Amino acid sequence: METGSNTTTVRDAVVIGAGVTGIYMLHRLLALGLDATALDEAAGPGGTWYWNRYPGARFDSESYTYGYSFSKEILEEWSWSEHFAGQPETLRYLEFVVDKLGIRDRMQFGCKVKSARFDGASNRWTVEMEDGRRESARYLLGAVGALSAATLPRIEGRDDFEGEAFHTYDWPKDREVELAGRRVAVIGTGATGVQVIQTIAPIVGELAVFQRRPNWCAPLHNSPIDAETQKRIKGSYDQIFARMAETHGSFLHGTDPRSYHEVSEEERLALWEKNYASPGFGVWFSNFVEVFLDPEVNAAYSEFIANKIRSRVHDPAIAEKLIPKDHGFGNQRVPLESHYYEAYNRDNVRLVDASETPILRITPKGIQTTEEEFEFDLIIYATGFDSFTGSYDRIDIRGAGGQKLRDKWKDGPITYLGTNVSGFPNLFLLAGPQSASASSNYPPSIETCVGWTADFIDYLERNALQRVEARLEAEEQWTAEIKAGYEGNMIARAKSWFTGYNSNVDGHDKLRHMMYLGGSPAYRAKLAEVASKGYEGFDLG
Ligand code: NA7
């Protein structure tokens, strides 16, 4: 329905984002009979999987644990071709889901949201896009993604480079990027950099990797899914999802029930060897719980992995540079790799230690470090994201009384349950900061958040409630709980997107509390408890 001005479309709900979260949220809102739309800057659905088209982009979660679980039909009809699917296949899957649900015509693409303002008199949000279009809605739902505000390094001369250069998130979508025979630089060695490096090393002419700090990486062990395995997977989705519901991170992989201290060294090594040789995140999560909590045990496991790196990299000096010294295994996101370390055994690959010889500037021809000037045809920035709050900060969101969300969150996110914010009525964050999403396998956690939010909105609608707002004291309590979760967890001390660290964003070079670390089962239980108590901690009116 359009208003008189003809520029503002009036609806029940607006979802910002049409990625994995936005797709499912839109579906649930429409199923409630609401007039809803999803807005996305991209030219199509897919979010993360729309943007990240760099070579080698793929899942580190088993494909069949990454798809939506809510529809038996989708599960039955979609067949993953690999245990860990690549980006093109994932994007095809999400396109398939959108068409299957018949919701494409409720999505609007090419619209970058500029601002969102809450009007206390009407209890409605007005969302404005950069092209001037406006949407007015009772409910505003943020499905913006935790890693969708890409950040370029703050290096002098970036615009002077005469060759090609882009962030991995902004990898060109309308053309092939020429790699064969070219001189290429990759800056950044997070999960993205690792995937790019291992994939392009055999293709490019020369590759220089600028590494500031290494990450602990371990083998992915990907393989195709044959017909028989496909049948088995499709026949056991109930068990797969039941298993995921039990584990801390909603993965297939959960901690070993034994204590590190109660097993012999032989048994311990047997577990670690088995995990290192197995596909997926078992190498991180199917471990003794002490590996995550006890620095000494973590050091022992880190040394086990360090020896694996030493055995795979021919030059011992390079191997040492690839072994993290400032954090233990799993304290930052562990990139899973396919022959990553072996890339450094190639004659055309060079590791540049950007902490020893820092990058001074980008020059018209390449990169100048404190020691050397390099010439490149292509610079790939795999330099990460302004995590969790970055995409919200980039929208001028103003709640009741005109308070800016960006200001409220300047020292880190503050939410109730990771889903709502005091002072910002009728705004729902989906898989947002302080939720369990990023500390777990994303899609199951997204389904948790979206399902809970849809039920909440249904409750509001059925009870003719027009305004919902988290109470300040509930929010303070939740934020304190988030902080407490970081205490004693080794993640808390590492400079990574888990702690909101980003040297390229003002004020984000300090460690913050961004995620719920209590595990998916506890998070789900908390959401269910709040709902069962008539949405405790909220003012409804
Ligand atoms: P990450 O994991 O945040 O990695 C970013 C990398 O870029 C990391 O190695 C940074 O080094 C490096 N970086 C950032 N700025 C600079 C500058 N100025 N100079 C040199 N190096 C720099 O992002 P990813 O995209 O790899 O991964 C994000 C997640 O997406 C991933 O975990 C998956 O879950 C999907 P640093 O470590 O800060 O020294």
Side-chain angles (χ1 to χ4, degrees):
M1 180 183 122
E2 306 259 307
T3 59
S5 73
N6 215 23
T7 55
T8 304
T9 309
V10 179
R11 301 179 197 273
D12 299 315
V14 166
V15 183
I16 307 178
V20 179
T21 311
I23 292 169
Y24 184 41
M25 189 73 247
L26 180 62
H27 168 65
R28 291 293 299 260
L29 290 167
L30 295 172
L32 289 176
L34 299 180
D35 179 4
T37 187
L39 312 173
D40 204 297
E41 185 187 349
T48 285
W49 302 102
Y50 171 90
W51 292 103
N52 284 288
R53 299 183 190 210
Y54 61 82
R58 70 171 59 250
F59 290 153
D60 282 349
S61 303
E62 285 75 5
S63 309
Y64 33 92
T65 71
Y66 197 96
Y68 297 108
S69 70
F70 70 87
S71 160
K72 288 243 183 286
E73 223 175 305
I74 290 173
L75 288 170
E76 188 46 46
E77 285 181 29
W78 182 263
S79 303
W80 295 103
S81 71
E82 289 179 276
H83 283 270
F84 302 88
Q87 175 272 336
E89 184 171 357
T90 308
L91 186 56
R92 280 200 301 279
Y93 165 75
L94 292 171
E95 292 271 3
F96 160 79
V97 172
V98 166
D99 288 334
K100 184 84 200 156
L101 299 175
I103 58 174
R104 192 179 292 270
D105 63 344
R106 308 307 296 262
M107 298 176 155
Q108 301 181 60
F109 299 112
C111 33
K112 190 167 180 178
V113 174
K114 190 170 81 174
S115 67
R117 286 185 163 68
F118 182 74
D119 171 39
S122 63
N123 288 322
R124 298 185 71 84
W125 284 91
T126 300
V127 177
E128 187 169 355
M129 287 159 261
E130 285 205 332
D131 62 8
R133 273 181 290 168
R134 284 200 294 265
E135 296 271 345
S136 161
R138 166 94 50 230
Y139 307 110
L140 179 62
L141 301 111
V144 296
L147 297 165
S148 47
T151 49
L152 287 163
R154 293 200 268 204
I155 306 175
E156 198 190 309
R158 231 181 44 222
D159 296 335
D160 299 341
F161 183 58
E162 288 165 356
E164 273 188 295
F166 27 79
H167 193 284
T168 42
Y169 187 77
D170 293 316
W171 196 267
K173 284 145 192 73
D174 48 0
R175 65 184 170 90
E176 284 290 314
V177 175
E178 210 183 305
L179 293 167
R182 295 179 91 195
R183 297 165 305 171
V184 180
V186 174
I187 303 181
T189 50
T192 302
V194 165
Q195 290 187 332
V196 173
I197 292 160
Q198 68 196 14
T199 308
I200 69 171
I203 305 169
V204 299
E206 292 165 25
L207 174 61
V209 175
F210 291 81
Q211 172 189 270
R212 193 163 62 181
R213 292 183 313 132
N215 271 290
W216 294 101
C217 312
L220 174 68
H221 297 298
N222 189 22
S223 60
I225 296 177
D226 59 33
E228 201 181 309
T229 312
Q230 189 74 258
K231 216 170 136 196
R232 192 164 41 77
I233 290 169
K234 290 200 181 183
S236 55
Y237 267 125
D238 286 348
Q239 292 92 304
I240 289 173
F241 293 125
R243 168 66 185 149
M244 286 158 62
E246 285 171 354
T247 64
H248 190 86
S250 297
F251 291 101
L252 287 175
H253 316 279
T255 44
D256 195 279
R258 298 167 298 171
S259 160
Y260 171 87
H261 301 289
E262 79 188 24
V263 299
S264 67
E265 189 171 347
E266 205 182 7
E267 282 173 303
R268 172 162 37 90
L269 281 175
L271 176 72
W272 288 352
E273 289 291 356
K274 178 175 142 267
N275 286 343
Y276 199 82
S278 302
F281 274 133
V283 70
W284 189 1
F285 301 125
S286 299
N287 221 321
F288 307 105
V289 73
E290 292 89 347
V291 169
F292 306 97
L293 304 173
D294 180 338
E296 264 181 47
V297 177
N298 183 273
Y301 189 56
S302 300
E303 188 54 20
F304 169 83
I305 301 286
N307 283 331
K308 292 289 182 196
I309 298 171
R310 291 182 185 113
S311 73
R312 293 172 59 185
V313 178
H314 296 164
D315 182 334
I318 301 285
E320 285 315 308
K321 283 188 184 299
L322 290 166
I323 297 170
K325 304 291 188 298
D326 70 330
H327 67 279
F329 185 93
N331 301 169
Q332 298 184 180
R333 205 287 205 178
V334 173
L336 295 184
E337 44 84 26
S338 304
H339 312 295
Y340 171 65
Y341 289 111
E342 287 73 13
Y344 294 98
N345 297 332
R346 300 178 62 88
D347 291 338
N348 68 331
V349 177
R350 180 170 165 194
L351 181 67
V352 181
D353 186 336
S355 59
E356 217 170 74
T357 56
I359 298 174
L360 288 181
R361 68 184 65 84
I362 309 286
T363 67
K365 298 268 171 256
I367 293 176
Q368 169 85 57
T369 68
T370 50
E371 200 170 64
E372 204 174 329
E373 180 161 3
F374 295 79
E375 293 195 358
F376 297 112
D377 304 308
L378 168 64
I379 300 178
I380 300 172
Y381 295 109
T383 45
F385 300 87
D386 187 6
S387 65
F388 301 103
T389 50
S391 293
Y392 287 104
D393 286 350
R394 280 157 181 73
I395 303 171
D396 185 7
I397 301 175
R398 298 191 193 200
Q403 186 188 13
K404 287 188 187 178
L405 186 61
R406 194 188 290 156
D407 290 346
K408 176 160 179 154
W409 284 1
K410 75 179 165 19
D411 295 323
I414 303 171
T415 76
Y416 178 41
L417 306 172
T419 57
N420 298 76
V421 186
S422 169
F424 295 79
N426 297 9
L427 168 68
F428 288 88
L429 314 176
L430 304 163
Q434 298 190 341
S435 75
S437 302
S439 56
S440 61
N441 193 12
Y442 261 105
S445 300
I446 283 169
E447 286 189 305
T448 298
C449 277
V450 168
W452 184 83
T453 302
D455 290 345
F456 197 172
I457 289 178
D458 186 31
Y459 176 88
L460 297 169
E461 291 289 305
R462 279 189 287 108
N463 291 286
L465 297 162
Q466 306 218 331
R467 181 176 165 125
V468 50
E469 183 176 354
R471 289 200 191 120
L472 196 61
E473 63 272 20
E475 182 180 80
E476 283 167 358
Q477 212 176 350
W478 183 252
T479 301
E481 200 173 314
I482 296 292
K483 282 186 186 160
Y486 272 75
E487 274 158 31
N489 193 313
M490 294 184 69
I491 282 176
R493 292 188 289 279
K495 290 177 177 174
S496 84
W497 62 267
F498 282 176
T499 45
Y501 174 85
N502 189 316
S503 64
N504 303 309
V505 180
D506 284 337
H508 291 188
D509 52 356
K510 53 181 182 292
L511 309 189
R512 296 172 296 148
H513 308 102
M514 313 301 282
M515 320 185 284
Y516 176 77
L517 295 176
S520 304
Y523 185 67
R524 278 195 306 273
K526 176 70 187 177
L527 290 182
E529 184 196 331
V530 167
S532 73
K533 292 183 175 165
Y535 295 98
E536 188 182 42
F538 287 95
D539 283 325
L540 308 175

